[in-house]
């Protein structure tokens, strides 16, 4: 299973007519937020594979295309915020948005609010554990866990609840965006308990059965 995960930045080599030839072996697209809907829609049409996505903190409201269309979501894609989807043999769930840094703004959550969003997934995940022998394969988020790939400013601080989620439900992967990386020595792959956490900005090719070697291991202080 080969997965194309994208977030936060439109890439010319993906938003191009030759993408179908370059990534012909991709089986699934995962969007981790802050991307134009037209870009994700293009990838769905070009690669002709399923797309699951969550919204980032900049994805609120309708989006407008140059040809006058109004987009409120990705046609052909599935917004998985607060949902668990069984697709291509994988159990995948999503949690959108960032830490709240502006009062009343959409797609931003306090720690308590994100905890409630995560708890809403619990009944389905517990049923999955009973039925499939595992709760979840991939958790898609926009923001990272607290202390893993995040930044000290409030807008880019991760959520503590993701650590509790990882410990209890043990997804194989947590894929996130939101944290723009420009330094070649910045960590993008971190092991947290039994979960491989990957910052997919601006894109990442994941071979599901061959996890990348972690560049760091998270140890709670």
């Amino acid at each position: 299973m080969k997965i194309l995960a994208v977030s936060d930045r439109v890439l010319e080599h993906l938003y191009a007519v030759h993408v179908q030839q370059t990534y012909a072996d991709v089986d699934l697209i995962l969007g981790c937020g802050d991307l134009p809907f037209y870009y994700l829609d293009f990838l769905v049409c070009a690669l002709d594979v399923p797309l699951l996505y969550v919204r980032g903190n900049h994805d609120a409201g309708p989006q407008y295309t140059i040809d006058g269309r109004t987009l409120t979501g990705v046609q052909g894609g599935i917004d998985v915020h607060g949902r668990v989807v069984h697709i291509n043999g994988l159990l995948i769930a999503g949690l959108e948005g960032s830490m709240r840094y502006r009062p009343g703004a959409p797609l931003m959550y306090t720690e308590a609010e994100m905890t409630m969003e995560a708890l809403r997934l619990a009944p389905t995940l517990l049923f999955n554990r009973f039925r499939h022998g595992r709760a979840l394969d991939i958790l898609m988020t926009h923001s990272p866990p607290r202390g893993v790939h995040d930044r000290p400013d409030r807008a880019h601080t991760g959520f503590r609840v993701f650590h509790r989620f990882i410990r209890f439900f043990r997804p194989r992967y947590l894929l996130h965006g939101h944290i723009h990386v420009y330094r070649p020595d910045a960590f993008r792959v971190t092991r947290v308990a039994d979960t491989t956490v990957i910052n997919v900005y601006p894109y990442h090719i994941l071979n599901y059965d061959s996890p990348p070697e972690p560049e760091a291991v998270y140890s709670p202080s």
Side-chain angles (χ1 to χ4, degrees):
M1 168 73 70
K2 183 169 284 190
I3 297 170
L4 170 63
V6 291
S7 79
D8 294 271
R9 181 177 153 207
V10 174
L11 295 175
E12 290 184 3
H13 86 276
L14 292 178
Y15 193 49
V17 293
H18 57 72
V19 69
Q20 186 176 25
Q21 288 73 41
T22 307
Y23 296 98
D25 56 348
V26 163
D27 302 296
L28 180 65
I29 306 167
L30 302 180
C32 291
D34 281 355
L35 285 171
F37 297 148
Y38 71 78
Y39 178 63
L40 295 176
D41 190 45
F42 171 81
L43 292 175
V44 172
C45 294
L47 299 179
D48 194 25
V49 297
L51 163 74
L52 308 181
Y53 70 99
V54 294
R55 299 173 192 246
N57 52 301
H58 297 300
D59 286 330
Q63 299 179 12
Y64 304 96
T65 66
I66 195 169
D67 59 0
R69 290 179 297 143
T70 301
L71 304 179
T72 57
V74 183
Q75 187 174 1
I78 301 173
D79 185 342
V80 293
H81 171 69
R83 300 177 59 184
V84 183
V85 176
H86 195 184
I87 192 165
N88 288 14
L90 300 180
L91 299 167
I92 301 176
L95 291 167
E96 68 188 10
S98 73
M99 183 66 71
R100 184 174 297 285
Y101 57 88
R102 195 166 62 242
L107 299 173
M108 298 181 191
Y109 298 84
T110 65
E111 186 68 43
E113 289 168 341
M114 184 57 77
T115 298
M116 292 304 299
E117 296 297 314
L119 283 173
R120 291 188 180 99
L121 295 170
T124 304
L125 297 176
L126 291 172
F127 176 77
N128 284 347
R129 183 171 285 167
F130 171 77
R131 182 177 182 182
H132 301 288
R134 65 195 194 282
L136 191 66
D137 297 310
I138 299 175
L139 176 64
M140 299 170 53
T141 65
H142 182 58
S143 292
R146 178 70 62 89
V148 180
H149 308 158
D150 63 350
R151 300 286 185 264
D153 62 294
R154 185 165 182 80
H156 295 94
T157 297
F159 289 100
R160 291 190 181 92
V161 67
F162 293 165
H163 287 283
R164 297 194 294 274
F165 189 105
I166 285 170
R167 288 196 303 271
F168 193 81
F169 294 114
R170 302 175 65 184
R172 187 167 188 178
Y173 297 99
L174 186 154
L175 305 182
H176 72 85
H178 193 47
I179 306 301
H180 295 213
V181 176
Y182 304 105
R183 291 169 53 98
D185 59 344
F187 293 146
R188 294 174 180 266
V189 181
T190 298
R191 190 75 175 172
V192 180
D194 295 325
T195 298
T196 300
V197 179
I198 304 174
N199 178 5
V200 305
Y201 171 87
Y203 85 111
H204 182 85
I205 298 293
L206 174 65
N207 290 298
Y208 180 82
D209 294 317
S210 301
E213 284 296 319
E215 301 157 340
V217 176
Y218 175 80
S219 298
S221 55

